[in-house]
Amino acid sequence: MLKALQFVQGVISKKNMIPALTHFCIRDGRVMGSNGMLTLSSPLNLKMSITPKATPFIQAIYRCKGTVSLSLTENGTLLIKSGPFKAYIECTTDPYPDFAPEGEFMDVPENFLQALRLLEVFVADDDSRRWARGVLFRGESAFATNNIILTEYWLGKEFPCEVCIPDPAIKELLRINQIPQKMQVHEDSLTFHFEDGRWLRTQTFAHSWPPVETILDQMDTSKLKPIDPELFNSISSLLAFSEELDRVFFRPGVISTTPTDDAGASIDFHVASKGIYNGRQLLHLQGIANSIDFESYPNPSPWFGTNMRGLLAGMKI
């Protein structure tokens, strides 16, 4: 029981806007948890129909040792007993929203999780461009952008549909860390089915992505140069001294945290051209990009890696 509850507990709503969503829904041999955007469900060997308050329920089950007994009191409270331990858990009578999977079944590529692992760090974390709050699968590629770095990962074959998977769903898929057996695609939702009957359902964004493929196809790659691995070590050393915007300044023979030699911190390092970049964002390319064109500054810098390419935007003083 605990394993099934742990699978669904991460998406339990923390807010009371829909009170029922702070509860588990247990019925028909399954347990479901949801925050309205994301829903998880797992088989559960329990022949009861109850909606217990999620947090105290899982805490009570966790503390049970040996045989566990569950029963409903006359006033609808769930009583959990195990040896000398017992706990009363509030249950709600409010109707639980229907988040059943729906849509057409489709196959999931073997490198689906690999794409999510590589791209999740490049997903935007604000709502200024809501469409960028997830990873887009379109054609033979997956895309992500945080408005500083635009990234494309080549899947190697056509994805069965065009869909943007929201970041909360990405995080759960990476936590589960299993390639889904199938996915169901609906006009406003996406459901991933796993072994043992578990599934994850997420709402999808209605906002459309721009034609980012065109932007990447127009990159000038004639001045790409291999990245010295020490570049990332140097930037990492400087970030402790950078100001609020995490800027690093590329100047002849040096990378520094200020535009002059008499302030901040610096490291002697050969750079091909002048430029200003967000150091923390640049570190996201470590282990991903193996060549880049810094000479294009102040225009975005094209970069390439294994089965990946993208653009890095610089900063202004």
Side-chain angles (χ1 to χ4, degrees):
M1 180 184 294
L2 186 59
K3 184 177 180 180
L5 297 178
Q6 289 173 333
F7 177 76
V8 304
Q9 70 170 338
V11 295
I12 291 297
S13 178
K14 304 299 189 296
K15 301 178 181 179
N16 285 317
M17 295 178 63
I18 304 179
L21 296 186
T22 62
H23 296 65
F24 288 129
C25 177
I26 299 174
R27 64 187 176 206
D28 301 326
R30 301 190 64 88
V31 58
M32 179 187 298
S34 180
N35 58 18
M37 175 71 178
L38 193 61
T39 303
L40 289 170
S41 178
S42 173
L44 181 66
N45 186 22
L46 184 62
K47 296 179 181 180
M48 298 181 72
S49 292
I50 51 175
T51 50
K53 191 79 169 180
T55 299
F57 179 65
I58 197 170
Q59 288 177 348
I61 296 298
Y62 181 78
R63 286 165 174 76
C64 290
K65 307 298 181 183
T67 303
V68 180
S69 170
L70 288 81
S71 60
L72 285 174
T73 65
E74 292 183 358
N75 64 2
T77 300
L78 178 65
L79 172 60
I80 301 176
K81 297 177 66 176
S82 179
F85 172 81
K86 67 178 179 180
Y88 292 90
I89 309 299
E90 168 208 328
C91 293
T92 181
T93 57
D94 292 345
Y96 203 88
D98 183 11
F99 294 117
E102 55 186 336
E104 180 183 357
F105 281 93
M106 297 182 182
D107 292 329
V108 180
E110 291 184 0
N111 56 357
F112 174 70
L113 283 184
Q114 173 72 354
L116 295 183
R117 287 191 193 98
L118 292 170
L119 294 177
E120 200 274 335
V121 70
F122 300 108
V123 173
D125 60 2
D126 63 76
D127 285 323
S128 60
R129 297 178 182 176
R130 186 169 176 78
W131 54 267
R133 294 293 305 275
V135 170
L136 170 70
F137 286 82
R138 183 161 65 194
E140 296 185 1
S141 297
F143 302 89
T145 181
N146 55 16
N147 303 323
I148 296 175
I149 301 177
L150 170 62
T151 308
E152 177 181 10
Y153 174 82
W154 289 299
L155 297 168
K157 66 177 183 179
E158 190 90 7
F159 199 73
C161 64
E162 180 177 328
V163 65
C164 182
I165 302 177
D167 192 46
I170 295 171
K171 287 181 168 57
E172 281 298 310
L173 286 165
L174 293 178
R175 178 187 67 84
I176 296 168
N177 196 30
Q178 291 184 9
I179 299 175
Q181 294 180 322
K182 289 284 185 178
M183 64 180 181
Q184 269 182 280
V185 182
H186 191 256
E187 60 183 2
D188 60 1
S189 71
L190 189 63
T191 303
F192 296 97
H193 294 267
F194 303 93
E195 60 183 19
D196 301 327
R198 296 175 300 161
W199 53 258
L200 177 155
R201 182 185 189 272
T202 179
Q203 298 296 107
T204 52
F205 295 142
H207 299 72
S208 298
W209 274 61
V212 290
E213 303 95 325
T214 302
I215 298 173
L216 294 170
D217 287 341
Q218 293 174 348
M219 294 190 307
D220 179 4
T221 60
S222 62
K223 296 181 180 179
L224 286 171
K225 291 182 173 60
I227 297 176
D228 184 339
E230 283 302 311
L231 171 68
F232 299 112
N233 294 332
S234 298
I235 292 174
S236 181
S237 298
L238 291 174
L239 283 178
F241 304 94
S242 64
E243 29 79 354
E244 183 178 352
L245 297 177
D246 295 322
R247 291 184 299 182
V248 291
F249 295 78
F250 286 19
R251 296 183 287 129
V254 67
I255 301 176
S256 62
T257 60
T258 62
T260 62
D261 291 325
D262 56 357
S266 65
I267 288 181
D268 292 340
F269 194 93
H270 174 70
V271 289
S273 60
K274 294 182 179 180
I276 310 171
Y277 302 93
N278 182 299
R280 295 195 186 279
Q281 292 293 327
L282 191 47
L283 285 181
H284 289 331
L285 295 180
Q286 187 172 13
I288 290 180
N290 51 42
S291 62
I292 196 167
D293 172 19
F294 285 121
E295 295 183 31
S296 62
Y297 183 88
N299 294 321
S301 299
W303 59 266
F304 273 76
T306 303
N307 295 327
M308 300 183 75
R309 65 175 177 173
L311 287 167
L312 166 69
M315 303 177 71
K316 297 180 180 179
I317 295 180

